[in-house]
């Protein structure tokens, strides 16, 4: 996102902009925020009971407003599956069979998964034994004259690689010497292995980082994994070395560093058994969807979506800005109990309005773990995307203090004209998004990728962002209500006019 696109300066009072304002109720909104961000709801982590309670709270408010359910089977819920934390479980094991011995690696103790496969990629199962190939650092950098995969075929096999990169402490290295190049990243290594048809990537510390327990520690404190292409496991190096007697990690690394030649080779006597279905856990979470049906026979087939994510980080973890506070409730009052409260208030006020177009209200789950809820909505909309004329997103609107940032207008100038028309009706200063906000960072991205014009409301990052201190005490409820009123007026205006743009 470019630096502060000042919308405010461009806004002038148009003639005849007076709209029927329905005052949003700041007390009501603050009550929603207090409840959603309470310790009782545990930070609304995906896959936790706190998120389910929040979903039921949102659905109950939609019901109170006498909105129609927009979810599956006559309910307010759209249910979908997410990938979650695997639990340390001694029954879940990886087994490496060497020439004469079998070595078990227990989940959480001797190995942990870093990534899992795509849901549609072929899975391994416990009964299947994959052949093992050692591939040095797992790096293919032909431009630097180095390719661990040059002489080995890894298709259908498991590949063992080191973390980091060759010649790492050598300032003369063709890599970057003391600072790591992108080749050292696990995701890059996974992608190289995957492109060559490997079925599993087994990662051990390189000899320069035998004491490096950083990844293991992160996993222990916050066992979450990403769903990225192929299974990748981090395995206890010393235990692998004992299991594979004819593979000497230290001498292989020394030879790579000194000769700058790959030392990759198949390990003909060794196999590994790995059941990736036991390495991942899935949970069901729910978007909460309500509909205010339009009354115009033609226009009611079209919809304006108002959305806000209601999930947050639970007890912290991978996405927390305070990793040492993992285990503490991340209350998420601003992110995004505030946007959820605005959504509920807009839904309540719009419910009885009998507008020409249909309004759809959505509280998204699983935003914090990759905009998954909004992607699910876009793939399963109650009103087709082709007839969704606009989406209004509210994410972090809790700290306006006199102004609000509005994003997305540069993509749809006609929306900017709509906002401009509403500017005189609000006491808030309207700004563009400030630097530091990444376009596509919230649920509006799922809609603009689907070709729907979007507008997003945001009141800025702060020191409590993604920390346990994002509490309701710092919320400016009156300002939130002003934003809700503005977003409501925008939704009404989009749902009313013959041509939205
Ligand atoms: Zn958010
Ligand atoms: Zn967030």
């Amino acid at each position: 996102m470019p630096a502060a696109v000042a919308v405010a300066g461009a806004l002038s009072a148009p003639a005849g902009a007076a709209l029927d304002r329905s005052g949003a109720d700041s007390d009501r909104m603050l009550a929603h925020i207090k409840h959603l961000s309470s310790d009782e709801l545990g930070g609304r982590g995906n896959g936790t009971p706190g998120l389910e309670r929040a979903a039921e709270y949102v659905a109950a408010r939609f019901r109170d407003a006498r909105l129609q359910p927009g979810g599956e089977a006559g309910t307010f819920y759209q249910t979908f599956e997410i990938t979650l934390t695997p639990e340390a479980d001694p029954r879940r094991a990886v087994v490496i069979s060497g020439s004469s011995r079998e070595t078990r690696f227990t989940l959480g103790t001797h190995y942990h998964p870093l990534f899992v496969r795509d849901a549609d990629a072929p899975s391994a199962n416990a009964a299947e034994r994959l052949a093992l190939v050692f591939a040095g650092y797992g790096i293919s950098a032909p431009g630097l004259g180095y390719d661990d995969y040059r002489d080995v075929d890894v298709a259908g096999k498991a590949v063992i690689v080191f973390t980091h990169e060759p010649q790492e402490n050598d300032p003369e290295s063709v890599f970057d010497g003391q600072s790591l190049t992108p080749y050292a990243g696990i995701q890059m290594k996974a992608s190289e292995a995957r492109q060559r048809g490997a079925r599993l990537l087994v990662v051990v510390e390189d000899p320069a980082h035998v004491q490096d327990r950083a990844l293991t520690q992160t996993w222990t404190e916050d066992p979450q994994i990403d769903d990225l292409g192929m299974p990748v496991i981090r395995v206890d190096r010393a235990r692998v070395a004992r299991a594979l007697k004819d593979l000497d990690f230290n001498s292989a690394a020394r030879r790579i560093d000194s000769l700058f030649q790959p030392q990759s080779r198949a390990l003909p006597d060794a196999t590994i058994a790995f059941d990736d279905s036991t390495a991942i856990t899935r949970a069901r979470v729910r978007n909460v969807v309500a509909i205010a049906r339009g009354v115009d026979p033609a226009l009611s087939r079209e919809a304006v979506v108002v959305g806000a994510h209601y999930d947050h980080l639970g007890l912290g973890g991978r996405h927390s800005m305070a990793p040492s506070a993992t285990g503490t409730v991340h209350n998420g009052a601003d992110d995004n109990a505030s946007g959820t409260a605005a959504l509920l208030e807009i839904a309540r006020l719009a419910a009885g309005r009998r507008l020409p177009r249909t309004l759809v209200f959505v509280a998204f789950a699983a935003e914090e773990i990759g905009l998954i809820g909004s992607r699910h909505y876009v793939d399963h909309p109650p009103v087709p995307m082709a007839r969704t004329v606009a989406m209004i997103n509210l994410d972090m609107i809790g700290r306006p203090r006199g102004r609000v940032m509005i994003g997305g207008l540069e993509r749809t100038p006609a929306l900017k004209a709509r906002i401009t028309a509403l500017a005189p009706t609000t006491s808030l200063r309207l700004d563009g998004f400030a630097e530091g906000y990444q376009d596509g960072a919230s649920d509006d991205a799922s809609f603009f990728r689907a070709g729907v014009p979007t507008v997003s409301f945001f009141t800025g990052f702060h020191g409590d962002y993604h920390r346990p201190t994002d509490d309701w005490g710092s919320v400016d409820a009156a300002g939130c209500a002003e934003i809700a009123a503005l977003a409501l007026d925008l939704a009404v205006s989009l749902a009313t006019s013959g041509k939205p743009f």
Side-chain angles (χ1 to χ4, degrees):
M1 198 73 185
V5 191
V7 178
L11 301 179
S12 56
L19 274 150
D20 174 23
R21 297 300 299 278
S22 305
D25 180 342
S26 61
D27 290 344
R28 206 182 273 266
M29 288 178 64
L30 189 59
H32 295 324
I33 293 169
K34 282 184 183 175
H35 176 70
L36 292 168
S37 66
S38 65
D39 283 354
E40 268 176 86
L41 265 59
R44 308 183 308 283
N46 287 287
T48 69
L51 189 76
E52 296 317 293
R53 285 184 61 185
E56 279 145 28
Y57 180 85
V58 169
R61 300 294 80 76
F62 285 160
R63 207 174 290 121
D64 292 347
R66 300 183 185 282
L67 291 160
Q68 288 175 26
E72 60 236 350
T75 72
F76 287 102
Y77 303 117
Q78 268 192 343
T79 307
F80 56 97
E81 205 170 59
I82 53 169
T83 302
L84 268 189
T85 312
E87 280 163 31
D89 179 343
R91 289 166 304 175
R92 296 175 174 179
V94 165
V95 179
I96 292 183
S97 308
S99 38
S100 61
R101 60 164 72 206
E102 276 204 343
T103 310
R104 279 177 72 82
F105 295 76
T106 306
L107 176 63
T109 308
H110 304 120
Y111 87 94
H112 58 270
L114 297 176
F115 301 111
V116 297
R117 65 188 162 82
D118 286 336
D120 53 357
S123 69
N125 62 66
E128 188 180 15
R129 291 172 179 278
L130 299 175
L132 272 166
V133 176
F134 172 67
Y137 287 86
I139 288 174
S140 179
L144 301 176
Y146 185 82
D147 185 358
D148 281 315
Y149 287 103
R150 195 184 62 196
D151 303 319
V152 285
D153 172 18
V154 300
K157 299 172 187 168
V159 186
I160 302 183
V161 300
F162 290 139
T163 54
H164 293 251
E165 62 192 16
Q167 301 182 334
E168 199 181 317
N169 292 315
D170 177 359
E172 305 293 304
S173 166
V174 297
F175 289 88
D176 246 0
Q178 307 244 308
S179 54
L180 292 171
T181 65
Y183 292 111
I186 298 286
Q187 290 196 32
M188 177 85 107
K189 295 183 188 208
S191 141
E192 293 292 349
R194 183 190 184 193
Q195 276 172 41
R196 291 167 176 78
R199 297 277 297 280
L200 170 67
L201 187 67
V202 180
V203 180
V204 297
E205 286 100 348
D206 69 309
H209 299 89
V210 175
Q211 300 307 322
D212 176 9
R213 306 306 298 167
L215 277 173
T216 311
Q217 213 162 345
T218 307
W219 190 84
T220 309
E221 285 165 4
D222 173 37
Q224 297 185 58
I225 45 176
D226 293 296
D227 212 340
L228 286 174
M230 74 179 299
V232 179
I233 55 175
R234 178 78 178 230
V235 180
D236 183 315
R237 179 181 197 269
R239 201 170 175 85
V240 177
R242 284 196 297 275
L244 300 170
K245 283 270 192 256
D246 64 339
L247 177 62
D248 182 335
F249 288 139
N250 291 327
S251 77
R254 266 197 309 275
R255 290 173 68 85
I256 291 171
D257 278 3
S258 59
L259 307 170
F260 204 59
Q261 286 294 323
Q263 301 296 312
S264 307
R265 63 190 177 88
L267 304 169
D269 296 327
T271 60
I272 185 165
F274 168 69
D275 178 355
D276 69 355
S277 70
T278 62
I280 57 179
T281 308
R282 300 204 183 266
R284 289 181 171 276
V285 295
R286 298 179 286 182
N287 289 337
V288 192
V289 188
I291 294 176
R293 203 56 77 186
V295 295
D296 181 275
L299 294 180
S300 62
R301 291 161 40 84
E302 299 179 347
V304 175
V305 173
V306 183
H309 76 87
Y310 72 101
D311 66 311
H312 192 50
L313 306 180
L315 301 180
R318 202 159 47 115
H319 300 291
S320 173
M321 302 295 280
S324 61
T326 292
T328 313
V329 175
H330 285 51
N331 302 80
D334 182 24
D335 187 13
N336 186 28
S338 67
T340 309
L343 171 73
L344 295 178
E345 190 59 358
I346 294 166
R348 182 181 75 87
L349 294 170
R353 296 285 282 266
R354 298 179 54 81
L355 301 166
R357 282 196 180 80
T358 294
L359 287 177
V360 182
F361 303 98
V362 197
F364 301 109
E367 188 270 354
E368 299 282 14
I369 57 173
L371 315 183
I372 297 170
S374 50
R375 284 212 313 262
H376 181 83
Y377 177 92
V378 163
D379 291 341
H380 306 85
V383 176
M385 281 298 110
R387 299 205 303 267
T388 299
V389 300
M391 189 269 182
I392 299 171
N393 192 46
L394 300 132
D395 190 358
M396 296 178 65
I397 55 133
R399 302 188 180 193
R401 309 222 155 75
R403 62 96 178 85
V404 61
M405 293 182 241
I406 304 177
L409 302 180
E410 63 292 343
R411 269 190 304 272
T412 316
L415 270 174
K416 186 169 176 174
R418 296 254 163 193
I419 298 275
T420 305
L422 293 170
T425 68
T426 181
S427 65
L428 298 169
R429 194 182 77 228
L430 310 184
D431 289 342
F433 270 14
E435 205 168 4
Y437 183 92
Q438 281 200 314
D439 199 16
S442 186
D443 293 309
D444 49 320
S446 301
F447 288 80
F448 69 69
R449 283 177 197 136
V452 174
T454 63
V455 186
S456 41
F457 291 87
F458 173 57
T459 54
F461 291 111
H462 43 74
D464 302 316
Y465 171 69
H466 280 201
R467 288 188 165 85
T469 47
D470 178 4
D471 289 317
W472 68 264
S474 303
V475 163
D476 161 17
C480 284
E482 277 286 305
I483 294 173
L486 181 62
L488 169 66
D489 287 347
L490 178 63
V492 167
S493 141
L494 290 167
T496 302
S497 58
K499 259 184 157 298
F501 307 115

